[in-house]
Amino acid sequence: MTLPTEDGPRGVAPAVALYSIIGFWFFYAVLISLRAAVVGFDSQIEMAARRAVVTLIGIIVTWVLYLVLRRFDGKPLMIRVVAAFSLAAPFALAMAAANFYVFNIYDPVSMFPDADHEKYTQQGYALTAILEDALSRYFFLAAWAGLYLALSYASEAHRTERRAARLERAAQQAELRSLRYQVNPHFLFNTLNSLSSLVMKDRRDEAEQMIMSLSNFYRTSLTGDPLDEVPLEEEVHLQKLYLDIEAVRFPDRLATRIDIPADLLNACVPGLILQPLVENAIKYGVSRTASPVEITISAREEHGLLHLVVADNGDKPPSPADGGSGIGLANVRDRLSARFGDQGRIDYGPQADGGFAVNLFLPITRRGC
């Protein structure tokens, strides 16, 4: 039975089966008609009419065979092969009996007036004629059954391909959700540490301001689906909210500069893709020095790609010894890889004039966010 599923219907669709059956029997009718014309049988018109009846019966019988074979669609291939070629035999016998009746029992005199009609009543003649005709019709129906198996196998292969593609998409979406959900707890952990530090230093006003900024940040960041992309303008706005939180903690040391052309503000980027980069800039660029540090978020279009940069000019950039928790840059790398494949990448390292920079490269898209 054909079962509609998310991967498409199982087995051969009824329309495809019907077209193949009609095509087979049309070929049969044409071939037999040409043979009759070449041999020069009498009563060609009468024979053509009866041949049309036999062809119609053949289409109906083969359709019933199709309905029976559909019940084996979920079975192993060997069982389906045995069923197809075994069931073709009784249906071929039924076709041969119908053919014998149409051409030999129903008014044979009108087609063959000079023939010896007594032989039709001889004992065993009808059975012998039907069995001989059934043998040739068996090969005809077996050929169609073979075509049905081929179509069924192709349909199953397409279902398998669709299922594999669906599972791959589901796995990618699950990975993206998992990576996105890593960001918020990581950010919250860092922010709560900062808040704890302010409370311990009895800086209540700053702590209250940080709580309000944190509330605004989460109100904005948690409204979207983790799989959705957002305009670059919205992503940068979120980072400014986060930097406002950290500015309470480092009022004299943290400065921010945004350098993004207006024509790139509507470019689509994964939500919170810059968050771990800005956090690292705070962690390594600002918190470890007593000097003022400027964090820059910039964007450029280069060779059809969107080039995003988060940089700081701190005097103590991270070194290989700063392994951290492994969430930040690895998270961004994995998200870019899962979403864009080879087109998304991340580069990072110390800058020649001091500080540290992280570069993101991803395709430019302006729709769907």
Side-chain angles (χ1 to χ4, degrees):
M1 186 170 70
T2 302
L3 298 175
T5 67
E6 197 170 352
D7 304 316
R10 181 185 291 276
V12 180
V16 176
L18 182 60
Y19 291 148
S20 68
I21 292 171
I22 293 176
F24 255 67
W25 281 102
F26 177 77
F27 176 76
Y28 160 83
V30 171
L31 191 63
I32 296 300
S33 297
L34 290 176
R35 174 177 174 274
V38 171
V39 172
F41 288 141
D42 296 330
S43 306
Q44 289 289 336
I45 296 178
E46 178 69 20
M47 291 184 67
R50 300 194 186 198
R51 194 177 300 118
V53 173
V54 171
T55 301
L56 180 60
I57 294 174
I59 291 174
I60 295 173
V61 169
T62 311
W63 178 257
V64 176
L65 175 60
Y66 159 71
L67 295 178
V68 175
L69 291 179
R70 287 179 69 189
R71 297 182 176 275
F72 293 86
D73 281 344
K75 304 295 183 181
L77 179 61
M78 184 54 63
I79 294 179
R80 293 160 63 188
V81 171
V82 172
F85 292 110
S86 298
L87 290 171
F91 283 91
L93 189 62
M95 272 302 309
N99 185 77
F100 184 82
Y101 175 82
V102 170
F103 282 94
N104 297 280
I105 302 300
Y106 176 75
D107 192 19
V109 178
S110 62
M111 283 194 307
F112 309 110
D114 299 329
D116 181 11
H117 301 291
E118 293 182 359
K119 65 179 181 179
Y120 299 143
T121 61
Q122 294 177 0
Q123 184 176 5
Y125 174 81
L127 180 61
T128 302
I130 290 174
L131 290 177
E132 289 179 353
D133 189 37
L135 185 61
S136 63
R137 293 183 185 277
Y138 170 78
F139 288 106
F140 181 86
L141 289 178
W144 179 85
L147 174 63
Y148 173 82
L149 289 174
L151 294 174
S152 179
Y153 182 81
S155 174
E156 194 64 30
H158 290 157
R159 290 184 74 253
T160 301
E161 291 176 359
R162 288 191 292 269
R163 185 185 305 114
R166 179 173 58 83
L167 292 176
E168 183 178 357
R169 288 194 302 270
Q172 183 188 54
Q173 290 176 352
E175 180 182 6
L176 287 171
R177 284 192 176 95
S178 175
L179 292 170
R180 168 66 184 271
Y181 287 147
Q182 283 182 354
V183 175
N184 285 329
H186 187 243
F187 157 72
L188 182 59
F189 175 78
N190 290 340
T191 304
L192 291 178
N193 275 346
S194 300
L195 185 59
S196 175
S197 176
L198 291 177
V199 172
M200 291 179 65
K201 295 178 181 179
D202 199 28
R203 295 165 59 181
R204 299 181 181 179
D205 292 339
E206 291 91 335
E208 182 178 355
Q209 183 179 345
M210 180 176 284
I211 291 173
M212 294 301 298
S213 298
L214 179 64
S215 175
N216 291 333
F217 178 88
Y218 269 103
R219 186 184 302 113
T220 304
S221 65
L222 294 179
T223 55
D225 188 290
L227 297 179
D228 288 345
E229 295 183 341
V230 299
L232 179 57
E233 183 177 21
E234 181 177 325
E235 175 67 10
V236 171
H237 174 68
L238 278 175
Q239 302 318 308
K240 290 168 71 174
L241 289 176
Y242 170 71
L243 290 169
D244 288 343
I245 296 172
E246 293 296 344
V248 176
R249 183 181 169 198
F250 306 106
D252 301 324
R253 279 190 278 166
L254 176 59
T256 302
R257 183 169 67 91
I258 306 297
D259 181 16
I260 299 178
D263 62 330
L264 291 179
L265 290 175
N266 63 342
C268 299
V269 298
L272 293 180
I273 195 67
L274 298 179
Q275 182 64 43
L277 311 184
V278 177
E279 286 186 47
N280 281 351
I282 294 291
K283 180 178 179 180
Y284 297 110
V286 180
S287 65
R288 301 203 300 190
T289 180
S291 304
V293 174
E294 182 179 67
I295 294 179
T296 302
I297 301 176
S298 60
R300 294 290 183 272
E301 180 178 353
E302 296 182 2
H303 309 293
L305 294 176
L306 177 62
H307 179 194
L308 296 172
V309 182
V310 176
D312 66 80
N313 58 358
D315 55 12
K316 295 181 180 179
S319 64
D322 297 311
S325 63
I327 292 179
L329 297 179
N331 179 285
V332 174
R333 179 200 62 213
D334 292 344
R335 291 182 68 191
L336 290 177
S337 177
R339 174 64 181 85
F340 301 109
D342 294 338
Q343 290 186 295
R345 71 178 195 274
I346 178 173
D347 298 327
Y348 52 86
Q351 301 186 91
D353 54 352
F356 195 84
V358 182
N359 300 273
L360 304 185
F361 299 88
L362 57 152
I364 295 180
T365 57
R366 290 182 169 87
R367 294 181 179 180
C369 63

